[in-house]
Amino acid sequence: MATAADRPLPGAAAKAEGSRRLAIVAGGEDLQLILELLGTAGFECAPAALRDVAAGIVEDDLAAAVLTEEMLRSADLRELEAAVEGQPPWSDIPFVLVAEPAAMEGLSGTVRSLGRVALVERPIRPIMLRNAVEAALRARSRQRQAVSFLLQRQDAEENLRQLTSTLEKRVRERMRDLRASNQRLVQEIHERHATEERLRESEELYRYTVELSRQMVWTATPEGRLVTVNRRFYDVTGTAEEVQPHEGWLNAVHEEDRPHLMRYWSDALASGRPHHAEFRMRIADGSYRTFVARAAPRFDEEGRIIRWYGFTEDVTEHKHANAARREAEERYRLAAKATNDAIWDLDVVAGRIQWTASETAFFGYPDSEEMTSLDWWEERIHPEDRARVARSLDTAIAGSGTRWEEPYRFLTARGGYADAVDRGFIIRNEAGETVRMVGAMSDLTDFRRAEAEIRSMQAELIHVSRLSAMGTMASTLAHELNQPLTAVSSYIRGSRRRLDQQEGNSLGEVREALEAAENAALRAGHLVKRLRELVAKGNVSPRPEQLAKVIQDASLIAFLDEHLLGVTHRIEFDPKAEWVEVDPIQIQQVVINLVRNALQAMEGQARREVVIRTRLVSKGTAEVSVADTGTGIPAEIREALFSPFQSTRVEGMGIGLSISRTIIEAHGGRIWAEDAPDGGTIFRFTLPRVPDPELEPAGTA
């Protein structure tokens, strides 16, 4: 059964799926500049002519194309326009056009014929070019994802049709089995008649047998009138013994069932075939139960009916049991079809696994493999996981527990590996030996992929938050950098004047001036280094760090403009909480967020002071607090303080505290806010404390 993953995308798109190849149609310096900008950004690009672009569109091995207005004006576009027009319905190749804004009016007809076109104005700015190209590649990728999704949906519908066909086939097979069973039943009745014939001369023995039976045994005339019933009939129905059997029988049958029961009986009398009917009958307590009556005729030598022999039995409990069984089977069938799990039943003794139909759709294997060997399953486990999973299963089978669970990678029919987790329930015999296991295999591939995407998005959001914080402090940063640079310039000019004068003690003064210039330059360089580290984008890498140094480095940036705002601050360190295991850049971001919030909260206050403290909470936990003398937290946002897009400022984005909470919780800590005793707010967060790495014994993890 072919699936979307098994057959190629339309237009040979399968070979280009995921391709990021760019065609650059430009000349001279434009070509060299574009290739250099995109090549350094990691894009796969190459120069091409318009006919190459047209061929790439037709063969579907091109992700996007970058064109310049000069190339469009000087070339014959008919071949390119024909290739664009001839794309399949799902395809819309994106173009990036580099042009002067004034030239767009003359190119409007060409742009419309190309379809999806993004404009990059001259002069070419690297960031605008890279963004336009990345957007074009994303658009192309979404097109391929959309067509892949449509094909997968078509495959799912085809699978459903095949499953429906399989179900109908099984129903037909079941009906054949039922007809065969019915034929066997008829044969049994014939054999019973033969037995009764052989025992006809033993009426006394027969009578005892009838009286002891729990069935209601009866006989009837060839015309269908009951003439004898055993004692069981009177006991069950509560009918008086003086009542004639036929009248007593009719009175006991439910009035709604009486018409069709008599119709079935009349048909049997007319055809001479065995009689079988189900109906409700009143019992001695006045309630009704379900009964089944079966009867067969006895013929003489000439083939005429001389007597009907029948019995009636209570099938109420049997009927309820069958209904419950069918309901359970239906629930199991629907559950197996609705779930994405592969349901399995392992015969431990035989080493055979019975899979449900959902497993074949789930992993792409054909219906013929619904019953597989244990070896078949083990062979499809990833080689790196196989020994571990087999050892785990053997241990569970040999042990005394009832549950087994193991994650691993499983080979699908498409050739790739799915991230799966297998859970099973172990069934043992009276001796405690495992004879059977029943369980389900869940595919976690999409879940793992979603987790990775969420982590990537969180990291990107944290990085954007740092850039946003730096953007809001741009003016202050420029002022703080300008001061040491101005000092450097002044010291150097003064040194040059002293050298021109060449006075006796001028060399000492020049040396002092140059030292001052060096200190100012170092201060500016240190500030730039801290800013560069803070806005750098990288992976989270917790490691042992000195908490005091992390806070001091963050304070260098957070309190840049405190003298302009009339704010003072102090930092109190607890030497017992010196070392923590953190990513220093992320914790610095949390400190900067809290300090900047504190500075804004104290605007207009007579007393403006920020206090940062550290303290040891427990052997494995250190706490950092940032206290201000501001207006406190409004009651209406206190409950949702750390939720996204909650801000006390009109211009605030409301993501700073939410990101801070994400960072702290990722480090295994927690963050909260409380009112300060003397007014204002105290934000506190905890971090994992570690021993001093230099004092920790060798070999200790």
Side-chain angles (χ1 to χ4, degrees):
M1 174 170 49
T3 65
D6 296 327
R7 65 174 185 264
L9 297 176
K15 66 180 180 182
E17 186 173 10
S19 171
R20 294 173 64 87
R21 189 172 77 81
L22 294 169
I24 311 300
V25 184
E29 295 179 356
D30 284 341
L31 176 60
Q32 183 176 359
L33 176 59
I34 294 172
L35 288 174
E36 180 181 357
L37 292 176
L38 296 181
T40 56
F43 294 97
E44 179 187 352
C45 54
L50 287 176
R51 63 176 178 276
D52 299 328
V53 175
I57 295 174
V58 172
E59 296 175 4
D60 193 24
D61 62 354
L62 184 65
V66 180
L67 314 174
T68 61
E69 63 175 301
E70 293 82 6
M71 301 305 292
L72 291 181
R73 293 184 185 280
S74 62
D76 185 356
L77 301 179
R78 287 177 296 178
E79 183 178 359
L80 178 61
E81 291 174 347
V84 172
E85 182 67 23
Q87 296 180 91
W90 65 267
S91 177
D92 190 5
I93 185 76
F95 295 91
V96 177
L97 177 61
V98 179
E100 295 286 351
M104 290 305 298
E105 182 174 355
L107 295 173
S108 60
T110 301
V111 170
R112 283 194 300 272
S113 67
L114 294 180
R116 182 184 293 271
V117 179
L119 176 63
V120 176
E121 298 179 357
R122 295 181 185 273
I124 300 175
R125 287 181 289 176
I127 185 64
M128 298 301 293
L129 179 61
R130 288 195 297 268
N131 288 347
V133 170
E134 186 62 39
L137 293 177
R138 283 197 302 269
R140 190 61 170 169
S141 176
R142 292 191 185 100
Q143 294 174 18
R144 299 190 187 285
Q145 292 172 359
V147 71
S148 177
F149 171 78
L150 290 176
L151 290 176
Q152 291 174 0
R153 178 176 177 179
Q154 293 173 5
D155 288 335
E157 293 174 351
E158 178 62 23
N159 289 340
L160 180 59
R161 285 192 291 271
Q162 292 191 13
L163 289 175
T164 302
S165 176
T166 301
L167 180 60
E168 292 175 351
K169 178 182 177 182
R170 291 180 178 176
V171 169
R172 289 193 297 270
E173 292 175 350
R174 183 57 177 164
M175 290 301 297
R176 286 197 297 269
D177 293 340
L178 290 176
R179 284 193 292 270
S181 298
N182 186 58
Q183 291 174 358
R184 289 193 297 271
L185 180 61
V186 171
Q187 183 63 31
E188 291 175 359
I189 293 176
H190 288 314
E191 294 175 356
R192 180 178 298 176
H193 290 166
T195 302
E196 291 175 351
E197 186 66 21
R198 288 193 299 271
L199 298 177
R200 184 177 49 177
E201 297 178 355
S202 304
E203 288 188 7
E204 192 68 22
L205 179 60
Y206 170 75
R207 186 172 58 253
Y208 279 118
T209 301
V210 168
E211 294 300 331
L212 292 174
S213 173
R214 293 189 59 81
Q215 298 173 338
M216 291 176 279
V217 182
W218 48 270
T219 62
T221 65
E223 294 77 20
R225 184 175 182 82
L226 272 66
V227 291
T228 63
V229 292
N230 66 346
R231 180 71 189 179
R232 179 73 177 166
F233 169 76
Y234 296 104
D235 293 339
V236 170
T237 61
T239 302
E241 294 187 19
E242 58 270 17
V243 177
Q244 290 296 320
H246 194 75
E247 284 71 19
W249 188 273
L250 291 178
N251 291 335
V253 174
H254 195 288
E255 61 181 6
E256 295 179 359
D257 297 344
R258 196 176 298 152
H260 77 262
L261 174 61
M262 297 307 297
R263 184 170 62 253
Y264 293 158
W265 184 228
S266 298
D267 292 343
L269 294 175
S271 64
R273 293 192 295 268
H275 168 67
H276 177 276
E278 180 180 302
F279 54 93
R280 290 168 291 174
M281 190 165 63
R282 186 183 65 250
I283 60 176
D285 62 4
S287 64
Y288 285 87
R289 294 178 67 84
T290 303
F291 291 82
V292 168
R294 293 184 177 89
R298 178 187 171 195
F299 299 92
D300 61 12
E301 291 78 1
E302 298 179 358
R304 292 175 298 186
I305 299 175
I306 58 175
R307 183 74 71 181
W308 284 89
Y309 296 89
F311 67 91
T312 302
E313 60 180 334
D314 188 342
V315 296
T316 305
E317 301 302 331
H318 180 70
K319 190 177 180 67
H320 290 169
N322 282 341
R325 177 181 56 79
R326 287 192 297 270
E327 183 179 355
E329 290 176 349
E330 180 68 8
R331 284 199 303 268
Y332 177 81
R333 185 185 65 82
L334 293 177
K337 291 183 64 176
T339 182
N340 283 331
D341 295 346
I343 311 249
W344 50 265
D345 188 340
L346 168 62
D347 185 337
V348 176
V349 178
R352 304 288 294 175
I353 304 176
Q354 173 71 47
W355 301 91
T356 63
S358 64
E359 189 275 340
T360 59
F362 190 72
F363 290 106
Y365 290 105
D367 292 345
S368 60
E369 294 182 6
E370 284 187 355
M371 175 66 77
T372 68
S373 66
L374 187 60
D375 292 338
W376 177 92
W377 169 72
E378 290 185 354
E379 289 169 358
R380 282 157 179 76
I381 298 175
H382 194 283
E384 297 177 0
D385 301 337
R386 189 174 300 149
R388 169 180 56 83
V389 176
R391 184 168 55 253
S392 171
L393 180 63
D394 291 342
T395 302
I397 291 175
S400 58
T402 59
R403 303 282 179 180
W404 172 74
E405 179 175 343
E406 197 70 32
Y408 56 87
R409 289 162 290 179
F410 188 76
L411 180 66
T412 69
R414 303 179 183 92
Y417 282 94
D419 290 326
V421 60
D422 220 337
R423 301 180 179 89
F425 180 77
I426 302 173
I427 302 172
R428 305 180 188 278
N429 59 19
E430 295 179 356
E433 300 170 338
T434 301
V435 295
R436 184 182 175 196
M437 290 182 65
V438 179
M441 188 193 313
S442 303
D443 186 359
L444 302 182
T445 305
D446 293 339
F447 179 74
R448 297 277 190 258
R449 187 181 299 114
E451 278 187 333
E453 291 177 357
I454 290 173
R455 286 194 296 269
S456 175
M457 292 172 63
Q458 286 180 338
E460 187 68 24
L461 183 58
I462 290 172
H463 180 244
V464 170
S465 175
R466 290 202 294 270
L467 294 178
S468 176
M470 293 301 99
T472 60
M473 298 171 61
S475 176
T476 302
L477 295 172
H479 175 74
E480 290 299 320
L481 288 172
N482 188 55
Q483 281 187 333
L485 294 177
T486 302
V488 170
S489 177
S490 298
Y491 285 130
I492 292 176
R493 283 198 303 270
S495 299
R496 187 169 56 247
R497 287 196 301 270
R498 297 300 294 170
L499 289 174
D500 292 340
Q501 296 172 3
Q502 293 185 353
E503 296 179 0
N505 60 350
S506 63
L507 291 179
E509 295 176 355
V510 169
R511 183 178 294 107
E512 293 177 358
L514 291 176
E515 290 178 354
E518 180 183 11
N519 291 334
L522 289 174
R523 178 178 170 228
H526 183 63
L527 182 59
V528 170
K529 178 183 178 183
R530 298 312 306 156
L531 288 172
R532 182 179 178 185
E533 290 178 351
L534 185 63
V535 300
K537 183 177 180 181
N539 296 325
V540 179
S541 54
R543 58 181 180 270
E545 293 283 346
Q546 287 184 297
L547 185 56
K549 183 177 183 304
V550 174
I551 293 177
Q552 287 172 342
D553 289 345
S555 300
L556 175 66
I557 298 174
F559 290 108
L560 278 174
D561 54 351
E562 67 173 349
H563 59 286
L564 300 177
L565 300 175
V567 175
T568 61
H569 82 276
R570 70 177 190 271
I571 304 176
E572 301 175 1
F573 295 118
D574 183 352
K576 297 179 181 179
E578 180 179 6
W579 288 91
V580 290
E581 186 169 11
V582 297
D583 182 303
I585 300 301
Q586 291 202 355
I587 299 305
Q588 288 172 17
Q589 180 179 356
V590 173
V591 174
I592 291 173
N593 282 347
L594 297 181
V595 169
R596 300 307 297 179
N597 286 347
L599 296 180
Q600 293 162 357
M602 294 188 297
E603 292 180 0
Q605 298 295 107
R607 177 170 167 256
R608 304 175 190 176
E609 181 183 29
V610 178
V611 180
I612 302 177
R613 293 186 177 92
T614 66
R615 72 184 184 97
L616 181 66
V617 177
S618 65
K619 182 178 180 180
T621 305
E623 179 187 278
V624 180
S625 64
V626 179
D628 63 58
T629 58
T631 57
I633 302 172
E636 60 270 16
I637 70 167
R638 183 180 295 272
E639 293 297 326
L641 185 61
F642 293 96
S643 299
F645 311 114
Q646 289 289 337
S647 177
T648 58
R649 296 178 288 117
V650 175
E651 71 279 6
M653 294 178 62
I655 63 173
L657 289 178
S658 175
I659 291 177
S660 297
R661 182 179 67 176
T662 299
I663 292 173
I664 296 303
E665 290 179 351
H667 282 75
R670 67 185 188 94
I671 184 171
W672 71 96
E674 59 188 41
D675 294 330
D678 299 329
T681 304
I682 303 176
F683 280 88
R684 303 181 188 273
F685 62 88
T686 60
L687 297 170
R689 176 186 173 274
V690 294
D692 187 339
E694 298 179 357
L695 301 179
E696 189 174 7
T700 303

